[in-house]
Amino acid sequence: MFCTPFVSAQIIRPSQTAAVMQWVGAAKIDITYHRPVARGRELFGKLVPFGKVWSPSADSAAVFTISAPIRVNGAPLAAGTYTIWTIPGESEWTVIFSSVHPVHHMFYPQGKDALRVKTVALSGDQLETLAIYFPMVDADSAEMVIHWGRTIVPLRIRSVP
């Protein structure tokens, strides 16, 4: 009798799932996303065109959940669940929090923005795999960044008392 080897039903994806949780004051922030890998490709302005909506996640858009209201770059964002989108520019970026979730990373839900903020992209050390993280956290404020390649997109987060 011939036996076939066990095959896992789980698919191993090239862009692995990641999650980050951070408290900022009274607000718990949970982010789940899929981490694309640069693999030697030229990223912003080439693979990711300037001036077009892009999700900083693969397979599905990054999901951003907050338990209490916050301010992002000074603008209010109510407690809830959102997807994160961006419009990359050579120096200035727009970061969008959409009320639609979950959604495939290629299908931006036009007209469903909860918030749009501008930020200036910075240059930093090469990071092969996209990451969303909090390099600075204080009692009621934090900096959240989207970092891929040499591009760092910072956002100022503040809890609302």
Side-chain angles (χ1 to χ4, degrees):
M1 175 175 192
F2 179 76
C3 293
T4 57
F6 175 78
V7 178
S8 171
Q10 181 179 2
I11 297 171
I12 298 174
R13 299 186 184 278
S15 298
Q16 292 293 306
T17 302
V20 63
M21 186 281 294
Q22 180 64 59
W23 283 94
V24 179
K28 180 183 179 194
I29 301 172
D30 287 295
I31 306 166
T32 304
Y33 63 107
H34 300 270
R35 300 183 68 196
V37 181
R39 294 185 187 91
R41 298 175 289 184
E42 199 171 329
L43 301 175
F44 301 107
K46 298 291 183 184
L47 177 67
V48 178
F50 291 131
K52 296 195 184 255
V53 175
W54 172 71
S55 171
S57 182
D59 303 325
S60 61
V63 176
F64 182 90
T65 302
I66 48 175
S67 64
I70 61 172
R71 296 185 79 75
V72 180
N73 285 8
L77 185 62
T81 300
Y82 306 93
T83 48
I84 302 173
W85 303 84
T86 66
I87 302 173
E90 291 188 47
S91 59
E92 184 177 75
W93 284 45
T94 300
V95 179
I96 305 163
F97 294 85
S98 170
S99 60
V100 178
H101 63 85
V103 64
H104 189 273
H105 78 284
M106 298 294 286
F107 302 111
Y108 168 64
Q110 198 80 5
K112 302 292 184 176
D113 298 356
L115 177 65
R116 281 183 176 225
V117 296
K118 302 269 188 193
T119 189
V120 175
L122 307 171
S123 184
D125 292 336
Q126 173 69 22
L127 190 62
E128 185 69 11
T129 304
L130 184 139
I132 301 173
Y133 57 94
F134 292 83
M136 190 292 297
V137 180
D138 206 345
D140 67 347
S141 63
E143 180 183 59
M144 181 185 101
V145 301
I146 300 166
H147 185 170
W148 197 26
R150 294 190 167 283
T151 302
I152 299 171
V153 180
L155 293 170
R156 294 179 323 277
I157 309 263
R158 182 168 294 281
S159 68
V160 175

